[in-house]
């Protein structure tokens, strides 16, 4: 097994502001409408590439086709109850393979937890590397509790897991309070071999530790730079301004 860590300093997000973002997105979805298969946003603009295939818009069982230049995704609504859970499943067809996924958001007025899981099959790759499964879970209450310095906050409110035939990996992220309205987020990546390759990878992975450390640091530093550049202006927007800004985007 190998484990590497890196910490980044990012602008903090007030929980109320985050909850407002979630509420605005849900309201925009619920204010949209379906017309002859097209999805029209509240301002009348069409959601490009999105079609209602079967069912009633945003009702359980509604199925949508979402297409771009290279892939087509079929999305099915499994549950739409803004007081409890929003849940959907998807099936993505791509020239390089196929992916199935399921995602859920628990609570929208006060988001509690987001989670997703999926499986992917790739073509044109060695059989050992052709199948992968992964999952993501973020506990919002625990995240903001840890970010506020609460000593009894659960560890690692954000967990990302990836599993393939040769290896499995997990990423954990924990925020801590810092100065001047920032969070210090510590991210830890662990990896280990699986199956017949486990003894070999037990020897190889520690030798690759320095490269993994560098790659993790570069990726996180880049994400933090983008976060710190774009977030502060957005924090100045109230819910009405956020709604207008979202509708100005191209869909």
């Amino acid at each position: 097994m190998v484990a590497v860590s890196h910490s980044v300093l990012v602008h903090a997000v007030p929980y109320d502001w985050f909850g407002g973002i979630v509420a605005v997105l849900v309201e925009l979805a619920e204010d949209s409408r379906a017309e002859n298969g097209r999805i029209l946003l509240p301002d009348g603009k069409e959601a490009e590439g999105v079609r209602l295939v079967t069912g009633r818009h945003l009702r359980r069982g509604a199925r949508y086709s979402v297409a771009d230049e290279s892939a087509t995704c079929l999305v099915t609504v499994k549950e739409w109850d803004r007081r409890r859970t929003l849940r959907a499943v998807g099936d993505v067809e791509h020239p390089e393979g196929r992916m199935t996924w399921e995602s859920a958001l628990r609570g929208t007025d006060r988001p509690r937890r987001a989670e997703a899981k999926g499986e992917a099959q790739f073509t044109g790759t060695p059989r050992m590397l052709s199948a992968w499964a992964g999952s993501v879970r973020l506990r919002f209450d625990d995240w903001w509790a840890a970010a506020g310095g609460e000593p009894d906050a659960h560890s690692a409110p954000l967990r990302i897991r990836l599993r393939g035939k040769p290896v499995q990996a997990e990423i954990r992220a924990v925020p801590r309070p810092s100065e001047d309205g920032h969070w210090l987020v510590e991210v830890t990546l662990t990896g280990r071999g699986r199956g017949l390759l486990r003894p070999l990878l037990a020897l190889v992975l520690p030798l690759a530790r320095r490269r993994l450390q560098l790659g993790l640091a570069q990726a996180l530093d880049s994400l933090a730079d983008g976060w710190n550049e774009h977030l502060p202006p957005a924090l100045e927007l109230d819910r009405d301004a956020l709604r207008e800004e979202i509708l100005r985007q191209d869909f």
Side-chain angles (χ1 to χ4, degrees), residues 9 11 79 97 99 167 193 207:
L9 195 65
H11 280 281
E79 187 174 357
M99 181 179 73
V167 297
L207 299 177

Side-chain angles (χ1 to χ4, degrees), residues 105-117:
L105 174 65
R106 312 293 180 183
T108 57
D109 294 331
R110 183 174 177 79
R112 300 185 305 277
R113 185 170 75 251
E115 51 198 7
K117 61 182 179 180

Side-chain angles (χ1 to χ4, degrees), residues 8 21 45 50 73-74 95-97 99 109 113 126 128 139 149-151 162 170 184 205 220 235 250-251:
V8 290
I21 281 279
K45 183 168 56 177
V50 182
C73 179
L74 288 177
E96 297 180 358
M99 181 179 73
D109 294 331
R113 185 170 75 251
M128 182 68 70
R139 303 188 305 267
E150 293 188 16
L162 181 66
E170 181 178 62
L184 182 66
L205 286 176
L220 292 177
L235 291 176
D250 292 329
F251 291 92

Side-chain angles (χ1 to χ4, degrees), residues 31-35 38-47 57:
D31 289 343
S32 67
R33 66 185 191 277
E35 188 176 286
R38 300 180 304 154
I39 303 302
L40 302 180
L41 301 175
D43 60 357
K45 183 168 56 177
E46 181 178 351
H57 184 44

